Amino acid sequence: MKGRPPAGGRVVVRPRSAVAALVAAAALGLATGRFVLPTPPGVGAHPAARSGAAVGGPSPGASAPVTPGGSVPTPASSASGSAPPTGVTGATGVTGATGPLTTANLLGPAAFGPDVGSGQIHVTDRYGDGSYANAACTGEKTLTQTLGGRGAHFRGLMTGTRTTPDDPTLAVSLDAQVAREVAAEAQSPSLAQNYAQRLLLEEEPCQEAAPGHWVYGRTTTLQLAPDVTASWMGSYQGSLNTGGTAPEGKEPCGGIAVLRSGNHYGVLEVYACLGTAAMDRVVRTALSQL
């Protein structure tokens, strides 16, 4: 593991590194297309949502903070198009991954230690193809169907040991699923960036949904190096969606992140009910390890 960047403290960035980071961030936001997908069926809470307050963030009703290290939330996409996320340099001395991706690059239980006891989390791995994100956004497609790439590493983090017959990385009970990560390597860093952009565009339609239906919040982008970036969106229960988008000033309950480090890319779904600060910490850990 490359080690998680410090959660606090002021980061000193040399001018040349800052320019490179801003150029890379601008490139990440230049995706011009948008997948037009059907409105998710039915109404109600996000399947991964939990009752009660989110863990790791301020109490509901408080303004969402700018997280330490430079993450900046950006407005949710509108019907006319997707607002490009804003990238901000978060750390120095981090370089993008090269070579094959292995299970050592996947997120471990310790990342959830402050919120979910790491000793309670069981890890299951597999390699191959399969669904990789919320089906309401991706349309029940597999990673190969979406990107045409080779197989990927799948990891399930669960508080129970009972898994579905066809995929050991998915818990039988959704309440037992803490997180699930799907990651692979591309043939080049530029192709990995393209894959990450496409995967993010598939999830952004769920930033808008009929009132009463679960919804993703605005996109927050983290950048640890020019080619080490993540974009994540918090999940909000349908009871908080009164206007078709995520409510301002409310804490998320888990969420989804698209990660890219060099020629590695992946999708991380957090089912545990984590708030803004905890989500930011977990995504940073996953990104630094990828």
Side-chain angles (χ1 to χ4, degrees):
M1 184 170 185
K2 299 180 181 178
R4 176 164 58 91
R10 189 171 183 177
V11 177
V12 178
V13 183
R14 295 181 180 178
R16 183 176 298 176
S17 298
V19 171
L22 290 174
V23 169
L28 183 61
L30 286 178
T32 57
R34 178 169 180 177
F35 289 87
V36 179
L37 298 172
T39 302
V43 295
H46 187 301
R50 306 287 184 267
S51 60
V55 175
S59 59
S63 298
V66 175
T67 53
S71 63
V72 175
T74 59
S77 58
S78 64
S80 60
S82 173
T86 301
V88 176
T89 300
T92 58
V94 178
T95 58
T98 58
L101 183 142
T102 70
T103 55
N105 299 113
L106 302 179
L107 192 65
F112 299 90
D115 307 301
V116 182
S118 57
Q120 304 175 25
I121 299 177
H122 302 273
V123 174
T124 57
D125 292 317
R126 71 176 181 86
Y127 182 85
D129 193 20
S131 62
Y132 57 90
N134 194 291
C137 288
T138 62
E140 290 285 4
K141 291 183 291 186
T142 68
L143 198 64
T144 298
Q145 288 173 331
T146 298
L147 301 179
R150 294 170 292 178
H153 289 272
F154 288 70
R155 167 163 290 184
L157 298 103
M158 297 161 279
T159 56
T161 57
R162 296 183 60 206
T163 63
T164 61
D166 55 340
D167 191 338
T169 67
L170 289 171
V172 171
S173 171
L174 192 62
D175 288 336
Q177 193 88 38
V178 176
R180 184 170 183 257
E181 185 176 11
V182 180
E185 75 272 2
Q187 295 178 341
S188 67
S190 60
L191 187 58
Q193 181 183 30
N194 176 274
Y195 285 170
Q197 289 173 336
R198 290 163 62 183
L199 291 169
L200 181 61
L201 284 171
E202 280 213 314
E203 302 303 323
E204 286 183 333
C206 281
Q207 290 177 316
E208 298 177 358
H213 194 283
W214 71 267
V215 67
Y216 283 143
R218 62 178 62 187
T219 304
T220 296
T221 296
L222 308 176
Q223 183 160 347
L224 305 187
D227 61 347
V228 183
T229 62
S231 295
W232 68 270
M233 297 172 282
S235 176
Y236 293 83
Q237 300 180 43
S239 60
L240 297 177
N241 174 14
T242 59
T245 58
E248 292 293 336
K250 299 291 186 181
E251 282 294 294
C253 185
I256 191 168
V258 176
L259 316 167
R260 204 270 291 198
S261 175
N263 70 325
H264 294 178
Y265 66 95
V267 176
L268 172 67
E269 286 185 280
V270 177
Y271 293 80
C273 195
L274 304 187
T276 301
M279 277 293 297
D280 186 272
R281 187 195 69 248
V282 168
V283 172
R284 283 177 181 275
T285 302
L287 180 59
S288 65
Q289 182 147 351
L290 186 66

